[in-house]
Amino acid sequence: MSLRIGVDVGGTFTDVVIMKSAEIHRGKADTTHYDLKVGFMNAARVAAERAGLGLEEALRSAEAIIYSTTVGTNALIERRGTRLGLITTKGFEHTVIVGRARNWADGLPPEKKHDRGRAVRPVPIIPQNRIVGVQERVDNLGNVVVALRDDDVRARVQYLVDQGVRGFVVVLLNSFVNPAHERRIGEIIAEQYPECYLGHMPVYLSHAISPKSGEYRRSMTVIIDAYLREITEGHLVRLSDDLREIGYRRPVFVAKNTGGLSSLSRSQALHLLGSSPAATVMGADHIGRQLGLGNVIVSDVGGTSFDVGLVVEGRDRVYEYDPIVDRFRVQVPYVAHWSIGAGGGSIARVVSGELRVGPDSAGSNPGPACYGRGGEAPTVTDADVVLGYINPRSFLGGKLRLDPQRAERSIAAKIADPLGLSIVDAAWRIKSLIDGVMGQEMYRICALTSGQDPREFVLFALGGAGPVHATGYAHAADVSRVATFSFSSVFGAFSTLILDILQSYERTLGLNLYSHKDGRYTTESLVPLNEAVESLVSFGRRDMVEEGFEMSEVELQIDLYMCYGQQRQTLPVRSTKLRLESADDLRDLCDRFNAAYGQKYGIGAVYQEAGIELVQMRVNAVGPVGKYTMRRMPAGAAGAPPAAGTRKAYWGPEQGFLETPVHQLAGLEAGVVLDGPVLCESDDTVIVTPPGWRFRTDEWGVGWIERKAKAGSSQ
């Protein structure tokens, strides 16, 4: 029996998928913020029962447990990380305080970015009184200009200890070229505070974590990683210990925002931030390829957030190269995704006579008013219950009975009465507003990021609330085809199971590949280029062997970041060889860079005469894992099956409440076509198909919600 377990810990729900002999079994439970392990075990128990196993039997039998968690994200938002001190080059103590020119706008929603009169820079993770400078200087070529003095380092370290720090971040100027001074500082701290002492201090050296140029972003990369390391490692180590006591004898793997996974011992805390949305994009790419889809908008509507990603022309690993974490720029290119505060738990309120929904969420406890756990604020889920989309008696398979009267009272008191509306009209406005917000965000991201028409994309509606609201935000984004899956509500957990083992290594390296002076390919750059590639590949060999792979099984990918002379805008070009040997190899590399540049910016922007430079490189070591393959379903009987029942649902002011057919999703065979309005239920979501749309199932088990052609239309 082959069995793997994928876990996605969200802000409201924890999802678990057990893949047993290519069959998917899903479980969902409340996220228990007081101890995330409890929610994981609750959801795993549900999935195990559906797989015909006991919880402990499933955990002991698992070949791998892949974990995606929000613990680091929450700790960063709440500022619950380690108390750190920063050691930098004297004269650069204000780098992380000053930030960059638009540091005041990074990470803010659009309305706040435009409100410049109230703009403030983010509160620093390490305040000024815990930042010290040491006298040293290394130039951009790696030459020591000012030598480091040990007594100066000891004095600065002692000062930080007196400030109560519990760890040191060391970021020196140009250490990515010559890390000798950073290493010496690490040695001095280890001498002063060895591991045998209770006062042992962990040290985080920038050249070991992010060996790239850019002082501010390199500093923030190391600071955030160090800030979250203790709390993230502590949670995962405790989980590993608990699993070991149960009988699980393999490493706990963690999903990373770089689009792969690795064992806990080979992961960095910063790689876990946003790992679930990144995995979801990779999972959508995997499924989209099997369905022959080139362009996919990935939308995941959970209880707390609305996550959007893109698969464009079948390209995997579309990276965000200048990402923002919280309100800080970092140097960890991750699979591009965007999140806003919109979901089933988003709170509705009236502000200055206007309806607002989100971005704050009621979470899982107390949750929406209809949960009956003490929550009084009306939410999107409350509106869905009032409108008849969600059956209060079968929510989460009947494990949580919802109270529609509480939902009505909450909406009446907080929304309907202040705005002079009926309860139903208020609920409809809540739904319409959140659908419009999500749809506009999706349209903006798709149009601006891909440069293509959103109408050419298929929308994947994922998450527990995704299929409920899919047609609403699809209409707002002008998308007419929506795909849903039997595991849509736990797609993030499913996606962790299709990720390859991935380790990535980066380095800044400035080389001239094509000279603008004499119009030739600079073969003298081949030696330092190949040496740099081999140094990164050696790290890949080390780590992948420790992950249990033979190097013959590992794919090595070399991405070279190139630009025209003196430009800042770089594009990655994947090298077809591990070693470049000749001017012809450089010509091929530069030709492919020109082609990529012309495709992105227009053929008229190609200007090789300016020279072509290499500024950075990245090596990916990829260890493939077995992946889920969709299987064809047998064709069902012709015609629409009889509905399991009916329920009154509200379809807008023109239609009002209609007695709406309700089907059980699990009972629908391939080839079913149902005209809206219709509701298709499972135990963890509802596919809501309004009038003007139809729902059909195909031979792969995919449920398609499609806009019906208008009378007289050629569509």
Side-chain angles (χ1 to χ4, degrees), residues 86-90 92-93 131-134 136 169 171-173:
L86 172 62
I87 301 174
T88 189
T89 301
K90 191 173 182 62
F92 290 81
E93 295 91 339
I131 301 175
V132 299
V134 292
E136 67 85 39
V169 173
V171 185
L172 301 183
L173 194 67

Side-chain angles (χ1 to χ4, degrees), residues 345-349 368-369 376-380 382-383 407 410-412 414-415 430:
S346 293
I347 295 173
R349 57 173 56 86
E376 298 181 355
T379 68
V380 172
D382 293 305
S410 176
I411 292 176
K414 302 294 178 66
I415 307 298
I430 292 172

Side-chain angles (χ1 to χ4, degrees), residues 347-351 354-360 377-378 414-415 419:
I347 295 173
R349 57 173 56 86
V350 175
V351 180
E354 293 185 358
L355 177 64
R356 305 268 180 92
V357 184
D360 51 333
K414 302 294 178 66
I415 307 298
L419 294 178

Side-chain angles (χ1 to χ4, degrees), residues 115-347:
D115 190 6
R116 299 189 179 186
R118 294 185 176 89
V120 294
R121 294 185 183 276
V123 177
I125 293 174
I126 302 179
Q128 190 67 66
N129 69 322
R130 299 206 306 267
I131 301 175
V132 299
V134 292
Q135 292 184 346
E136 67 85 39
R137 182 60 65 92
V138 174
D139 68 16
N140 65 318
L141 300 177
N143 301 311
V144 175
V145 178
V146 177
L148 185 71
R149 297 192 351 250
D150 289 2
D151 58 343
D152 182 39
V153 174
R154 292 190 183 96
R156 305 304 173 196
V157 168
Q158 186 59 53
Y159 166 81
L160 292 176
V161 171
D162 292 341
Q163 298 299 311
V165 306
R166 301 303 304 160
F168 297 96
V169 173
V170 184
V171 185
L172 301 183
L173 194 67
N174 294 321
S175 62
F176 62 92
V177 182
N178 180 355
H181 285 177
E182 282 195 354
R183 288 173 177 156
R184 180 54 189 153
I185 292 176
E187 292 170 356
I188 292 172
I189 296 173
E191 292 168 2
Q192 298 289 105
Y193 301 96
E195 291 190 12
C196 60
Y197 291 172
L198 291 176
H200 166 66
M201 300 285 189
V203 182
Y204 306 92
L205 306 179
S206 72
H207 77 272
I209 295 175
S210 186
K212 297 188 291 183
S213 62
E215 298 309 307
Y216 167 69
R217 290 187 300 158
R218 179 156 56 96
S219 298
M220 292 314 308
T221 301
V222 185
I223 287 171
I224 293 176
D225 187 69
Y227 187 67
L228 301 179
R229 188 80 64 92
E230 183 179 357
I231 194 168
T232 302
E233 284 184 352
H235 165 66
L236 292 173
V237 168
R238 288 192 299 273
L239 175 65
S240 299
D241 291 342
D242 291 338
L243 291 172
R244 192 173 296 110
E245 289 182 7
I246 292 173
Y248 178 70
R249 291 289 180 263
R250 297 166 182 84
V252 171
F253 293 91
V254 291
K256 303 192 294 187
N257 53 26
T258 54
L261 57 89
S262 65
S263 59
L264 178 57
S265 62
R266 312 308 306 171
S267 304
Q268 293 177 212
L270 189 55
H271 288 157
L272 305 187
L273 298 180
S275 60
S276 176
T280 299
V281 175
M282 300 300 294
D285 175 49
H286 176 70
I287 294 296
R289 288 174 184 271
Q290 295 184 58
L291 296 174
L293 303 176
N295 293 337
V296 177
I297 302 175
V298 187
S299 67
D300 189 324
V301 189
T304 303
S305 65
F306 175 61
D307 300 316
V308 180
L310 294 175
V311 177
V312 183
E313 297 174 351
R315 288 180 296 168
D316 62 351
R317 291 193 177 89
V318 178
Y319 285 106
E320 170 65 49
Y321 293 105
D322 193 28
I324 300 171
V325 172
D326 192 81
R327 293 194 60 196
F328 307 100
R329 298 272 178 180
V330 296
Q331 289 180 323
V332 179
Y334 57 58
V335 175
H337 60 270
W338 299 264
S339 298
I340 62 172
S346 293
I347 295 173

